[in-house]
Amino acid sequence: MSFLNQQELSFILNELGEERENYFNAVSAPIIQTSNFVFEKVDDLSRALEDEMNGYLYSRGLNPTVDILRKKLAALDGAEDCLVFNSGASAIFASVFANVKSGDHIVSVKGPYTWAQRTFDVILPRFNISTTYVDGTQIENWQRATQPNTVIYYLESPNSWDFALQDIKAVSALAKSKKITTIIDNSYCTPLYQRPIEMGIDLALQTATKYIGGHSDTLGGILCGSHAMIKKIFDSEYLNVGSGIQPFNAWLLIRGLRTLPARLERITRTTVEVVKFLKQHPKIETVIFPFDETFPQYELAKKQMQGACGLLTIILKGITREEIVRFCESLRHIMMAVSWGGHESLAMPKCTGIKKEDFNPNNREHRYVRVYVGLEDAQYLIDDLSQSLDKID
Ligand SMILES: *Cc1c(COP(=O)(O)O)cnc(C)c1O
């Protein structure tokens, strides 16, 4: 499995795509905050109108600040090209929508990200496109769910609650043999820890809102693939829905990228300590973390991922909803919020998405509390978890 070479990574994050001589040798990229671009020749304008990928015409298409980001992100993923969207959800929507027509069928890993699932369950059925969900851990399940009209395999590995993995090489090989397009949500790992395109995936997407931005101050979505595939999506969904990222937000993501390796390195170290603390704690039943030896797919995780960090899920020994609530509300520094990938550590109980009367203590998933480890000091976080665990029975 080929991971990013560290020298290559330094070059991508500091130099690739930046043409400093064109903007006063400024170190930081300019925010080209413009909607449109002027032309002197009618023929040049015609050429630009004919194909918006030819050059700068209107910022719903290409924009120079966004292009710097696109080049870096494509290189990180080892992809030919990349589009950056306003949010991860719009990257998901465009990648799927561009590759289906009425009557088609999709096989998706079960329990994908909420808004991928809404696309499959609410929007696509209106166009007579159906989706079968599979336990993606077994390759046979993909094979068995495939129909003659299957056009997409949708993967998310690991997912962001119980971190179930798919064997990415095996699923993409199966898809290739059937001419099925593969799409993966790689948000958990980022290309620093997993490179799906190297493993044969057609479209690798991630939310940029999480690790790439890294500061909980902007949304963004990334979609990487071949020139042909990216051009197809640019000409249709990207331009039509107008869901491309704005120049200022692109600039924030470029800034986030500069420190991505340093942030992931620190979070990786802190997560190991937090996991160690939680595993030995008498009030914790289980810690779910893909790089822990007890994780059911530990071998596969080690094989296809270079690292794991930040997100982990705990199950308390106490089984009532009240105890979960008390634990989460007793945290003093770790905040309660959706999302992850920023500087701030977070906790998120699964039961927030379940009606009180539907909470079932015998359903392990209902008891999940997801913890995101941010950039704070490890002992500071451990002390907070410790005092909060002391508050429950
Ligand atoms: C947050 C998230 C998304 C969606 O990204 P947005 O930028 O919030 O639209 C997609 N996939 C996963 C796994 C996520 O956690």
Side-chain angles (χ1 to χ4, degrees):
M1 211 64 63
S2 115
F3 298 119
L4 263 169
N5 158 317
Q6 291 302 306
Q7 264 120 44
E8 196 187 341
L9 178 61
S10 296
F11 172 74
I12 294 168
L13 299 185
N14 292 290
E15 291 149 88
L16 180 70
E18 309 198 47
E19 298 168 28
R20 296 189 167 103
E21 65 283 5
N22 293 339
Y23 34 86
F24 313 104
N25 296 315
V27 169
S28 170
I31 305 167
I32 311 287
Q33 190 70 28
T34 188
S35 55
N36 46 359
F37 298 83
V38 297
F39 291 79
E40 285 182 9
K41 302 277 187 224
V42 169
D43 285 351
D44 290 346
L45 179 53
S46 291
R47 216 179 128 263
L49 277 167
E50 199 174 297
D51 178 358
E52 288 206 33
M53 262 202 167
N54 272 337
Y56 301 120
L57 169 77
Y58 191 61
S59 284
R60 176 152 38 75
L62 299 184
N63 171 281
T65 307
V66 177
D67 276 356
I68 296 172
L69 180 61
R70 285 176 58 214
K71 285 180 190 144
K72 290 183 189 294
L73 290 169
L76 286 181
D77 253 315
E80 286 176 8
D81 208 346
C82 165
L83 289 173
V84 190
F85 293 80
N86 226 344
S87 69
S90 48
I92 293 172
F93 188 79
S95 70
V96 172
F97 217 71
N99 287 293
V100 287
K101 61 177 188 330
S102 178
D104 283 345
H105 172 254
I106 295 169
V107 179
S108 167
V109 66
K110 72 170 187 210
Y113 180 69
T114 315
W115 296 98
Q117 184 139 2
R118 295 278 169 95
T119 300
F120 300 142
D121 292 350
V122 179
I123 298 179
L124 297 185
R126 302 206 311 250
F127 304 94
N128 188 28
I129 297 158
S130 59
T131 301
T132 303
Y133 294 105
V134 295
D135 167 357
T137 61
Q138 306 301 318
I139 186 73
E140 306 81 63
N141 296 345
W142 296 86
Q143 170 85 44
R144 213 171 296 131
T146 305
Q147 303 176 5
N149 58 340
T150 302
V151 292
I152 291 175
Y153 281 172
Y154 188 88
L155 299 81
E156 184 179 323
S157 183
N159 76 29
S160 58
W161 275 96
D162 62 11
F163 316 113
L165 308 181
Q166 298 98 60
D167 184 331
I168 298 173
K169 268 196 167 170
V171 177
S172 38
L174 176 66
K176 278 205 171 36
S177 74
K178 297 175 183 293
K179 298 199 165 38
I180 290 169
T181 301
T182 43
I183 304 173
I184 190 169
D185 184 335
N186 192 35
S187 299
Y188 180 97
C189 283
T190 83
L192 266 58
Y193 281 169
Q194 179 167 273
R195 298 182 92 203
I197 289 185
E198 300 254 339
M199 292 184 257
I201 290 287
D202 296 311
L203 280 167
L205 66 86
Q206 343 156 40
T207 169
T209 313
K210 314 287 167 60
Y211 285 129
I212 306 297
H215 294 76
S216 304
D217 53 10
T218 181
L219 279 86
I222 301 160
L223 186 57
C224 288
S226 67
H227 281 307
M229 179 62 94
I230 291 296
K231 172 89 169 89
K232 174 171 104 167
I233 297 171
F234 176 84
D235 285 342
S236 55
E237 284 69 21
Y238 189 85
L239 281 173
N240 224 309
V241 182
S243 53
I245 194 155
Q246 295 296 302
F248 177 65
N249 291 350
W251 182 85
L252 284 172
L253 295 179
I254 293 169
R255 190 167 73 154
L257 278 179
R258 309 275 194 215
T259 57
L260 178 64
R263 286 185 284 110
L264 285 191
E265 225 177 276
R266 174 163 172 109
I267 293 170
T268 301
R269 265 187 280 120
T270 311
T271 303
V272 169
E273 292 191 45
V274 170
V275 167
K276 203 164 90 194
F277 164 77
L278 289 168
K279 277 186 70 171
Q280 56 74 43
H281 199 283
K283 288 183 185 164
I284 302 273
E285 181 183 295
T286 312
V287 179
I288 311 175
F289 181 64
F291 266 31
D292 185 76
E293 309 86 50
T294 64
F295 183 70
Q297 294 172 291
Y298 178 66
E299 292 305 320
L300 179 60
K302 283 282 186 183
K303 193 174 107 191
Q304 65 187 18
M305 293 158 58
Q306 192 174 21
C309 68
L311 287 181
L312 55 108
T313 291
I314 56 180
I315 304 177
L316 302 175
K317 278 199 181 139
I319 61 166
T320 66
R321 189 179 184 281
E322 290 67 35
E323 274 177 295
I324 296 169
V325 169
R326 198 171 336 132
F327 168 71
C328 291
E329 293 181 356
S330 300
L331 292 164
R332 291 183 190 141
H333 302 300
I334 299 173
M335 296 180 258
M336 203 175 7
V338 297
S339 198
W340 47 275
H343 57 90
E344 77 290 10
S345 291
L346 298 170
M348 174 79 186
K350 187 88 176 181
C351 68
T352 46
I354 300 163
K355 286 203 189 91
K356 269 189 198 157
E357 59 273 24
D358 293 341
F359 180 84
N360 175 5
N362 298 318
N363 183 335
R364 251 166 65 96
E365 276 187 37
H366 287 199
R367 292 160 55 207
Y368 284 174
V369 177
R370 189 177 73 188
V371 175
Y372 165 67
V373 175
L375 291 171
E376 302 92 331
D377 171 63
Q379 197 57 46
Y380 181 75
L381 298 175
I382 288 169
D383 289 348
D384 196 23
L385 290 162
S386 176
Q387 65 81 25
S388 192
L389 285 164
D390 287 345
K391 302 256 160 51
I392 59 174
D393 300 329

XYZ file of all heavy atoms in Angstrom, residues 194-277:
653
model
N -5.057 7.527 4.496
C -5.608 6.506 3.602
C -5.787 7.106 2.220
O -6.343 8.192 2.093
C -6.952 6.021 4.148
C -7.657 4.973 3.306
C -8.805 4.326 4.060
O -8.601 3.359 4.780
N -10.004 4.860 3.922
N -5.313 6.355 1.191
C -5.400 6.878 -0.172
C -6.203 5.943 -1.068
O -5.649 5.086 -1.756
C -3.990 7.126 -0.720
C -3.251 8.163 0.103
C -1.906 8.435 -0.474
N -1.915 9.537 -1.411
C -1.009 9.697 -2.363
N -0.072 8.792 -2.552
N -1.062 10.755 -3.146
N -7.512 6.148 -1.091
C -8.406 5.210 -1.795
C -8.148 5.120 -3.295
O -8.337 4.052 -3.881
C -9.801 5.787 -1.539
C -9.650 6.717 -0.376
C -8.256 7.233 -0.428
N -7.716 6.220 -3.922
C -7.530 6.188 -5.375
C -6.393 5.223 -5.739
O -6.471 4.482 -6.712
C -7.337 7.620 -5.917
C -8.706 8.311 -5.802
C -6.792 7.630 -7.356
C -8.825 9.680 -6.370
N -5.372 5.175 -4.893
C -4.280 4.205 -5.087
C -4.792 2.781 -4.980
O -4.168 1.846 -5.477
C -3.223 4.388 -3.998
C -2.607 5.755 -3.974
C -1.200 5.733 -4.525
O -0.594 4.649 -4.552
O -0.720 6.808 -4.920
N -5.913 2.612 -4.281
C -6.462 1.260 -4.096
C -7.536 0.954 -5.134
O -8.255 -0.023 -4.998
C -7.017 1.119 -2.678
C -5.932 1.149 -1.619
S -6.572 0.854 0.051
C -6.590 2.507 0.719
N -7.672 1.829 -6.136
C -8.574 1.524 -7.246
C -9.930 2.204 -7.214
O -10.779 1.951 -8.068
N -10.164 3.060 -6.222
C -11.450 3.762 -6.118
C -11.530 4.857 -7.201
O -10.533 5.519 -7.497
C -11.585 4.377 -4.704
C -11.765 3.278 -3.660
C -12.695 5.424 -4.646
C -13.101 2.589 -3.652
N -12.727 5.049 -7.775
C -12.885 6.066 -8.826
C -13.000 7.478 -8.252
O -12.386 8.407 -8.768
C -14.140 5.773 -9.663
C -14.022 4.453 -10.401
O -12.975 4.240 -11.038
O -14.959 3.631 -10.321
N -13.823 7.658 -7.231
C -14.046 8.999 -6.678
C -13.843 8.980 -5.167
O -14.561 8.267 -4.447
C -15.473 9.467 -7.002
C -15.696 10.005 -8.416
C -17.193 10.126 -8.711
C -15.026 11.361 -8.604
N -12.873 9.759 -4.698
C -12.614 9.843 -3.259
C -13.127 11.194 -2.785
O -12.734 12.232 -3.316
C -11.124 9.705 -2.980
N -14.019 11.175 -1.810
C -14.523 12.450 -1.308
C -14.261 12.558 0.180
O -14.059 11.559 0.879
C -16.018 12.595 -1.621
C -17.031 11.674 -0.959
C -17.466 12.195 0.399
C -18.253 11.544 -1.857
N -14.232 13.789 0.666
C -14.141 14.026 2.105
C -14.832 15.337 2.387
O -14.911 16.206 1.538
C -12.725 14.208 2.648
C -11.554 13.790 1.873
C -10.305 14.563 2.286
O -10.050 14.841 3.455
N -9.510 14.911 1.302
N -15.274 15.481 3.618
C -15.663 16.791 4.070
C -14.369 17.534 4.376
O -13.436 16.954 4.934
C -16.553 16.727 5.317
O -16.672 18.038 5.850
C -15.987 15.824 6.388
N -14.302 18.807 3.989
C -13.136 19.620 4.369
C -13.421 20.356 5.664
O -12.550 21.006 6.241
C -12.812 20.615 3.257
N -14.676 20.254 6.114
C -15.107 20.941 7.336
C -14.387 20.392 8.565
O -14.209 21.095 9.547
C -16.633 20.718 7.517
O -17.283 20.966 6.273
C -17.199 21.603 8.595
N -13.956 19.130 8.484
C -13.399 18.462 9.658
C -11.887 18.723 9.719
O -11.477 19.817 10.023
C -13.763 16.979 9.623
C -15.251 16.720 9.288
C -16.214 17.069 10.416
C -17.675 17.122 9.993
N -18.258 15.915 9.448
N -11.068 17.715 9.358
C -9.619 17.884 9.558
C -8.973 18.913 8.630
O -8.000 19.547 9.005
C -8.901 16.556 9.350
C -9.058 15.588 10.491
C -9.468 14.282 10.277
C -8.778 15.982 11.806
C -9.605 13.385 11.326
C -8.910 15.085 12.855
C -9.326 13.797 12.609
O -9.455 12.906 13.641
N -9.464 19.028 7.394
C -8.759 19.883 6.438
C -8.823 21.344 6.898
O -7.809 22.017 7.008
C -9.333 19.733 5.006
C -9.355 18.255 4.571
C -8.547 20.591 4.001
C -8.019 17.561 4.474
N -10.033 21.819 7.199
C -10.179 23.166 7.763
C -9.530 23.214 9.140
O -8.707 24.084 9.436
N -9.932 22.291 9.969
C -9.254 22.076 11.252
C -9.529 23.072 12.357
O -9.018 22.917 13.458
N -10.313 24.120 12.089
C -10.514 25.145 13.110
C -11.983 25.454 13.370
O -12.311 26.468 13.982
C -9.786 26.437 12.704
C -8.298 26.293 12.679
N -7.643 25.630 11.661
C -7.348 26.695 13.539
C -6.341 25.643 11.913
N -6.135 26.287 13.043
N -12.864 24.592 12.881
C -14.312 24.764 13.090
C -14.791 26.146 12.655
O -15.621 26.761 13.336
C -14.667 24.519 14.565
O -14.218 23.245 14.961
N -14.249 26.640 11.536
C -14.684 27.972 11.100
C -15.129 28.037 9.645
O -15.467 29.107 9.149
C -13.588 29.022 11.375
C -12.240 28.629 10.786
O -12.185 27.648 10.003
O -11.242 29.292 11.111
N -15.144 26.904 8.951
C -15.682 26.927 7.581
C -16.156 25.531 7.193
O -15.665 24.537 7.738
C -14.627 27.393 6.549
O -15.229 27.411 5.252
C -13.420 26.474 6.504
N -17.090 25.482 6.266
C -17.471 24.199 5.681
C -16.774 24.045 4.333
O -16.340 25.032 3.728
C -18.993 24.119 5.480
C -19.792 23.760 6.736
C -20.091 25.002 7.536
C -21.065 23.037 6.379
N -16.703 22.826 3.869
C -16.138 22.567 2.555
C -16.237 21.084 2.242
O -16.415 20.268 3.151
N -16.162 20.755 0.950
C -16.220 19.352 0.540
C -15.274 19.116 -0.619
O -15.093 19.991 -1.465
N -14.666 17.937 -0.655
C -13.620 17.644 -1.636
C -13.995 16.402 -2.428
O -14.432 15.415 -1.844
C -12.289 17.391 -0.898
C -11.903 18.616 -0.067
C -11.180 17.009 -1.867
C -10.910 18.309 1.039
N -13.798 16.481 -3.740
C -14.092 15.331 -4.588
C -12.932 15.159 -5.558
O -12.632 16.068 -6.338
C -15.394 15.599 -5.347
C -15.975 14.475 -6.182
C -16.226 13.235 -5.332
C -17.275 14.936 -6.824
N -12.254 14.000 -5.502
C -11.093 13.752 -6.356
C -11.328 12.562 -7.267
O -11.932 11.571 -6.854
C -9.868 13.456 -5.489
S -9.235 14.905 -4.639
N -10.806 12.655 -8.487
C -10.954 11.542 -9.433
C -10.184 11.812 -10.709
O -9.311 12.687 -10.749
N -10.544 11.083 -11.762
C -9.854 11.251 -13.046
C -10.276 12.571 -13.695
O -11.335 13.115 -13.367
C -10.204 10.093 -13.985
O -11.577 10.187 -14.339
N -9.461 13.056 -14.647
C -9.832 14.273 -15.387
C -11.217 14.131 -15.999
O -12.045 15.032 -15.913
C -8.844 14.521 -16.544
C -7.558 15.132 -16.104
N -7.505 16.286 -15.342
C -6.273 14.755 -16.329
C -6.239 16.583 -15.121
N -5.472 15.685 -15.693
N -11.457 12.975 -16.624
C -12.716 12.789 -17.351
C -13.904 12.843 -16.393
O -14.910 13.510 -16.664
C -12.688 11.459 -18.096
N -13.774 12.165 -15.260
C -14.876 12.130 -14.295
C -15.113 13.511 -13.679
O -16.249 13.966 -13.533
C -14.540 11.092 -13.209
C -15.572 10.951 -12.135
S -17.186 10.385 -12.721
C -17.034 8.615 -12.468
N -14.020 14.195 -13.354
C -14.147 15.517 -12.720
C -14.727 16.524 -13.722
O -15.561 17.360 -13.371
C -12.778 15.973 -12.170
C -12.394 15.094 -10.968
C -12.772 17.456 -11.803
C -13.304 15.179 -9.758
N -14.333 16.406 -14.981
C -14.865 17.304 -16.017
C -16.368 17.088 -16.181
O -17.152 18.030 -16.284
C -14.122 17.035 -17.338
C -14.681 17.756 -18.550
C -14.033 19.118 -18.712
C -14.352 19.753 -20.047
N -15.563 20.564 -20.026
N -16.754 15.815 -16.178
C -18.172 15.486 -16.322
C -18.980 16.123 -15.175
O -20.030 16.727 -15.404
C -18.339 13.949 -16.289
C -19.780 13.479 -16.275
C -19.881 11.972 -16.462
C -20.197 11.268 -15.152
N -20.591 9.872 -15.331
N -18.467 16.027 -13.955
C -19.197 16.568 -12.797
C -19.165 18.094 -12.807
O -20.155 18.751 -12.493
C -18.622 15.975 -11.485
C -18.844 14.452 -11.477
C -19.259 16.634 -10.253
C -18.151 13.722 -10.348
N -18.036 18.659 -13.211
C -17.912 20.129 -13.302
C -18.943 20.687 -14.285
O -19.650 21.649 -13.981
C -16.490 20.485 -13.756
C -16.252 21.953 -13.983
C -15.934 22.792 -12.920
C -16.334 22.505 -15.263
C -15.714 24.152 -13.126
C -16.112 23.860 -15.472
C -15.798 24.684 -14.400
N -19.036 20.070 -15.465
C -19.942 20.564 -16.511
C -21.421 20.414 -16.153
O -22.261 21.098 -16.726
C -19.686 19.815 -17.832
C -18.403 20.291 -18.508
O -17.924 21.386 -18.160
O -17.873 19.559 -19.363
N -21.721 19.502 -15.254
C -23.139 19.303 -14.930
C -23.449 19.784 -13.523
O -23.757 20.966 -13.324
C -23.524 17.832 -15.133
O -22.673 16.994 -14.388
N -23.306 18.914 -12.527
C -23.755 19.238 -11.164
C -23.040 20.470 -10.585
O -23.664 21.325 -9.958
C -23.547 18.038 -10.225
C -24.575 16.936 -10.395
C -24.450 16.205 -11.716
O -23.362 16.251 -12.338
O -25.446 15.599 -12.144
N -21.733 20.566 -10.787
C -20.970 21.645 -10.150
C -21.447 23.013 -10.627
O -21.773 23.891 -9.833
C -19.481 21.445 -10.437
C -18.562 22.371 -9.668
C -18.160 22.054 -8.374
C -18.071 23.541 -10.240
C -17.299 22.882 -7.663
C -17.212 24.379 -9.540
C -16.828 24.048 -8.259
O -15.987 24.881 -7.568
N -21.506 23.181 -11.955
C -21.937 24.477 -12.496
C -23.441 24.703 -12.323
O -23.886 25.820 -12.066
C -21.591 24.565 -13.987
C -20.135 24.889 -14.293
C -19.869 24.781 -15.795
C -19.763 26.285 -13.807
N -24.187 23.620 -12.434
C -25.639 23.757 -12.413
C -26.183 24.062 -11.032
O -27.032 24.948 -10.865
C -26.257 22.453 -12.917
C -27.378 22.729 -13.880
O -28.264 23.505 -13.578
N -27.335 22.109 -15.026
N -25.720 23.346 -10.042
C -26.214 23.582 -8.677
C -25.496 24.796 -8.080
O -26.021 25.464 -7.197
C -26.032 22.330 -7.791
C -26.586 22.544 -6.399
C -26.702 21.118 -8.437
N -24.338 25.102 -8.596
C -23.601 26.262 -8.087
C -23.144 26.066 -6.656
O -23.225 26.977 -5.837
N -22.650 24.852 -6.380
C -22.296 24.557 -4.991
C -20.788 24.560 -4.772
O -20.291 23.932 -3.845
C -22.901 23.223 -4.573
O -22.530 22.221 -5.501
N -20.055 25.286 -5.628
C -18.609 25.382 -5.447
C -18.246 26.230 -4.238
O -19.037 27.065 -3.785
N -17.047 26.016 -3.727
C -16.622 26.774 -2.540
C -16.330 28.228 -2.911
O -15.904 28.525 -4.031
C -15.401 26.099 -1.880
C -15.189 26.671 -0.479
C -14.137 26.262 -2.738
C -14.471 25.754 0.450
N -16.559 29.130 -1.987
C -16.278 30.555 -2.186
C -14.794 30.841 -1.919
O -14.167 30.141 -1.117
C -17.146 31.380 -1.239
C -18.636 31.256 -1.531
C -18.991 31.813 -2.899
O -18.740 32.978 -3.179
N -19.534 30.972 -3.768
N -14.223 31.866 -2.578
C -12.774 32.110 -2.465
C -12.271 32.268 -1.020
O -11.229 31.721 -0.673
C -12.572 33.414 -3.252
C -13.708 33.466 -4.217
C -14.867 32.755 -3.561
N -13.008 32.980 -0.189
C -12.515 33.164 1.185
C -12.461 31.840 1.931
O -11.495 31.545 2.646
C -13.378 34.167 1.969
C -12.929 34.314 3.396
C -11.683 34.852 3.698
C -13.727 33.893 4.447
C -11.235 34.971 5.016
C -13.297 34.007 5.764
C -12.052 34.547 6.050
N -13.483 31.007 1.732
C -13.483 29.707 2.406
C -12.378 28.803 1.858
O -11.785 28.022 2.596
C -14.855 29.044 2.281
C -15.901 29.786 3.094
O -15.575 30.673 3.879
N -17.154 29.441 2.897
N -12.098 28.948 0.551
C -10.990 28.182 -0.035
C -9.674 28.609 0.623
O -8.812 27.780 0.921
C -10.930 28.403 -1.544
N -9.543 29.891 0.855
C -8.335 30.406 1.501
C -8.191 29.843 2.926
O -7.102 29.461 3.345
C -8.394 31.936 1.517
C -7.185 32.585 2.108
C -6.017 32.885 1.469
C -7.028 33.024 3.462
N -5.138 33.480 2.346
C -5.737 33.570 3.571
C -7.851 33.000 4.579
C -5.242 34.098 4.775
C -7.368 33.519 5.773
C -6.072 34.067 5.857
N -9.301 29.767 3.637
C -9.248 29.180 4.987
C -8.800 27.719 4.924
O -8.049 27.249 5.785
C -10.615 29.258 5.672
C -11.032 30.619 6.222
C -12.492 30.564 6.697
C -10.122 31.054 7.364
N -9.229 27.018 3.884
C -8.833 25.605 3.757
C -7.355 25.479 3.378
O -6.673 24.571 3.848
C -9.717 24.881 2.744
C -11.199 24.764 3.126
C -11.982 24.049 2.036
C -11.376 24.038 4.458
N -6.853 26.390 2.548
C -5.414 26.387 2.240
C -4.642 26.595 3.543
O -3.669 25.915 3.840
C -5.047 27.494 1.216
C -5.675 27.199 -0.144
C -3.520 27.636 1.076
C -5.599 28.356 -1.146
N -5.118 27.521 4.346
C -4.466 27.785 5.637
C -4.530 26.555 6.538
O -3.552 26.198 7.196
C -5.103 28.982 6.333
C -4.307 29.409 7.537
C -4.731 30.734 8.052
N -6.020 30.650 8.719
C -6.395 31.499 9.669
N -5.588 32.466 10.029
N -7.571 31.375 10.217
N -5.678 25.896 6.550
C -5.805 24.681 7.350
C -4.821 23.607 6.907
O -4.194 22.937 7.727
N -4.652 23.479 5.579
C -3.761 22.441 5.049
C -2.322 22.603 5.528
O -1.619 21.620 5.734
C -3.760 22.475 3.517
C -4.902 21.771 2.781
C -4.713 21.946 1.282
C -4.952 20.297 3.135
N -1.888 23.844 5.696
C -0.483 24.076 6.097
C -0.130 23.294 7.364
O 0.997 22.854 7.530
C -0.238 25.564 6.398
C -0.688 26.519 5.323
C 0.323 26.713 4.248
N -0.008 27.870 3.425
C 0.217 27.930 2.119
N 0.779 26.919 1.488
N -0.099 29.014 1.445
N -1.079 23.182 8.279
C -0.789 22.549 9.569
C -1.420 21.173 9.707
O -1.378 20.580 10.785
C -1.292 23.437 10.731
O -2.709 23.665 10.548
C -0.572 24.777 10.785
N -2.014 20.663 8.633
C -2.712 19.377 8.743
C -1.825 18.254 9.298
O -2.226 17.564 10.240
C -3.332 18.995 7.390
C -4.068 17.657 7.326
C -5.294 17.642 8.221
C -4.481 17.337 5.891
N -0.608 18.051 8.748
C 0.206 16.949 9.281
C 0.553 17.149 10.760
O 0.517 16.186 11.536
C 1.481 16.986 8.423
C 1.112 17.765 7.199
C 0.048 18.731 7.614
N 0.857 18.388 11.151
C 1.215 18.645 12.551
C 0.019 18.385 13.466
O 0.160 17.803 14.554
C 1.704 20.089 12.709
N -1.164 18.803 13.016
C -2.354 18.591 13.853
C -2.671 17.102 13.972
O -2.960 16.586 15.048
C -3.546 19.356 13.266
C -3.470 20.869 13.491
C -4.720 21.596 13.021
N -4.803 21.741 11.568
C -5.660 21.110 10.770
N -6.560 20.275 11.277
N -5.654 21.309 9.478
N -2.618 16.387 12.838
C -2.946 14.958 12.897
C -1.942 14.194 13.764
O -2.311 13.290 14.502
C -2.989 14.340 11.494
C -4.204 14.676 10.631
C -4.244 13.794 9.387
C -5.520 14.532 11.386
N -0.675 14.602 13.665
C 0.356 13.938 14.463
C 0.059 14.099 15.958
O 0.122 13.158 16.726
C 1.693 14.619 14.152
C 2.845 13.698 13.918
C 4.071 14.507 13.543
O 4.198 14.840 12.342
O 4.875 14.827 14.443
N -0.270 15.313 16.339
C -0.543 15.568 17.756
C -1.810 14.832 18.212
O -1.842 14.218 19.273
C -0.703 17.064 18.015
C -1.136 17.340 19.453
C -0.920 18.761 19.869
N -1.520 19.013 21.161
C -0.839 19.215 22.276
N 0.478 19.168 22.264
N -1.458 19.459 23.417
N -2.847 14.910 17.392
C -4.110 14.255 17.763
C -3.905 12.737 17.858
O -4.456 12.080 18.738
C -5.226 14.630 16.757
C -5.562 16.119 16.873
C -6.471 13.789 16.987
C -6.466 16.659 15.773
N -3.066 12.201 16.965
C -2.791 10.764 16.994
C -2.140 10.371 18.320
O -2.542 9.398 18.959
C -1.875 10.365 15.813
O -2.534 10.735 14.601
C -1.596 8.884 15.783
N -1.179 11.155 18.752
C -0.492 10.851 20.021
C -1.451 10.970 21.202
O -1.486 10.128 22.082
C 0.709 11.796 20.214
C 2.006 11.182 19.732
C 3.205 12.038 20.082
N 3.359 13.148 19.140
C 3.335 14.434 19.460
N 3.175 14.805 20.725
N 3.490 15.360 18.532
N -2.240 12.034 21.217
C -3.161 12.253 22.332
C -4.226 11.160 22.370
O -4.602 10.678 23.446
C -3.842 13.633 22.193
O -2.830 14.602 21.952
C -4.595 14.009 23.444
N -4.707 10.763 21.188
C -5.766 9.743 21.135
C -5.289 8.434 21.763
O -6.030 7.779 22.494
C -6.215 9.509 19.671
O -6.635 10.752 19.120
C -7.362 8.522 19.594
N -4.033 8.055 21.489
C -3.482 6.823 22.072
C -3.571 6.891 23.603
O -3.989 5.933 24.256
C -2.014 6.610 21.616
C -1.341 5.499 22.405
C -1.960 6.335 20.120
N -3.240 8.043 24.161
C -3.276 8.170 25.623
C -4.693 8.136 26.155
O -4.971 7.532 27.200
C -2.583 9.475 26.048
C -1.100 9.417 25.775
C -0.363 10.578 26.424
O -0.640 10.878 27.597
O 0.471 11.186 25.725
N -5.588 8.815 25.448
C -6.991 8.838 25.888
C -7.592 7.427 25.811
O -8.277 6.985 26.743
C -7.810 9.853 25.045
C -9.300 9.724 25.316
C -7.343 11.275 25.321
N -7.301 6.707 24.738
C -7.813 5.334 24.592
C -7.278 4.461 25.729
O -8.023 3.701 26.350
C -7.448 4.741 23.203
C -7.692 3.237 23.155
C -8.230 5.436 22.098
N -5.998 4.596 26.036
C -5.374 3.798 27.097
C -6.087 4.060 28.433
O -6.425 3.133 29.171
C -3.884 4.161 27.204
C -3.043 3.077 27.833
C -1.568 3.293 27.561
C -0.958 4.149 28.663
N 0.358 4.678 28.329
N -6.335 5.324 28.712
C -7.018 5.680 29.961
C -8.424 5.072 30.007
O -8.834 4.470 30.998
C -7.101 7.207 30.111
C -8.097 7.641 31.156
C -7.792 7.565 32.505
C -9.361 8.082 30.782
C -8.734 7.936 33.467
C -10.314 8.450 31.736
C -9.995 8.370 33.081
